[in-house]
Amino acid sequence: MSKQAPHSNMQANDEPLPEPPGFRESREKIRQLKARSSRGLYALALFTAVSIGAIRDFDFLPSLPPGMRTVLGTPPSANMISTALLLYAFSAIILILSRMMGGSQSYSGMAHVGYLSAFYIFYNLGGVLPDNVWAVFAAGVTVLGLESYHIWTFCNEEIRKELEALDESGRKQRLQQ
């Protein structure tokens, strides 16, 4: 009779051990958590693409017709937009930090990309985008980087817990046989 390796999935008679209860579900949950942990990178990549367009002053998009500019009215001042950007960035950072401290799994990276893109649009409509593009970019990288770190650490912690539970379940099953 061959000796069984300590972590082998084979019994002494070379038959595979049955999977522990919940093994497939745990494996699927781990796969989903790994996929979710990269969402922050997707948001950062999208924001980088929008930022490249903003640096180019959105020259690849058609300009607004004069009638549309009239309908939109006078754009807010650069100081007003900058104040709103500052309030948004600090609020977003505080919310992300509170979710991190609370162990929340919520993620709003793509919403942040939308909000930050709106600041690029406001600055562009105000005619002051070249002067403020780096302020929006810095705020965006900070907010999205923190959001990405939050979801990445949350997912990795959940994966660690699932692996520990699987290991414990496998140990119990080996002891019962």
Side-chain angles (χ1 to χ4, degrees):
M1 215 184 218
S2 65
K3 291 197 174 189
Q4 181 179 335
H7 293 292
S8 172
N9 227 12
M10 302 294 265
Q11 293 177 352
N13 59 1
D14 291 336
E15 291 178 18
L17 287 172
E19 290 181 342
F23 179 77
R24 288 178 197 232
E25 293 84 7
S26 290
R27 208 168 51 191
E28 178 61 22
K29 185 174 181 184
I30 289 170
R31 187 193 64 73
Q32 290 173 351
L33 286 166
K34 284 181 180 181
R36 183 192 288 173
S37 70
S38 62
R39 283 186 189 167
L41 296 176
Y42 298 141
L44 276 167
L46 180 59
F47 178 69
T48 301
V50 171
S51 297
I52 290 170
I55 289 169
R56 294 180 50 190
D57 202 23
F58 298 110
D59 62 357
F60 54 91
L61 296 175
S63 59
L64 283 176
M68 182 61 117
R69 283 199 175 267
T70 308
V71 169
L72 290 175
T74 307
S77 69
N79 285 339
M80 228 173 150
I81 300 168
S82 296
T83 302
L85 176 64
L86 188 66
L87 288 171
Y88 166 75
F90 279 123
S91 299
I93 289 169
I94 289 170
L95 288 172
I96 294 166
L97 290 174
S98 68
R99 285 197 310 260
M100 286 175 75
M101 295 301 293
S104 171
Q105 67 177 340
S106 65
Y107 170 75
S108 56
M110 291 302 177
H112 290 303
V113 172
Y115 297 139
L116 292 161
S117 297
F119 283 105
Y120 282 138
I121 293 167
F122 290 141
Y123 280 125
N124 191 26
L125 290 174
V128 291
L129 180 61
D131 297 335
N132 295 289
V133 72
W134 294 110
V136 178
F137 184 75
V141 167
T142 303
V143 168
L144 291 169
L146 190 58
E147 185 78 66
S148 179
Y149 178 73
H150 162 244
I151 199 66
W152 181 76
T153 55
F154 173 81
C155 290
N156 281 330
E157 180 65 21
E158 291 299 308
I159 289 170
R160 185 189 62 75
K161 289 176 185 176
E162 282 294 319
L163 290 173
E164 284 178 0
L166 278 175
D167 190 42
E168 183 65 28
S169 176
R171 271 191 241 141
K172 286 179 183 177
Q173 183 182 18
R174 283 190 296 271
L175 288 174
Q176 290 173 354
Q177 294 180 354

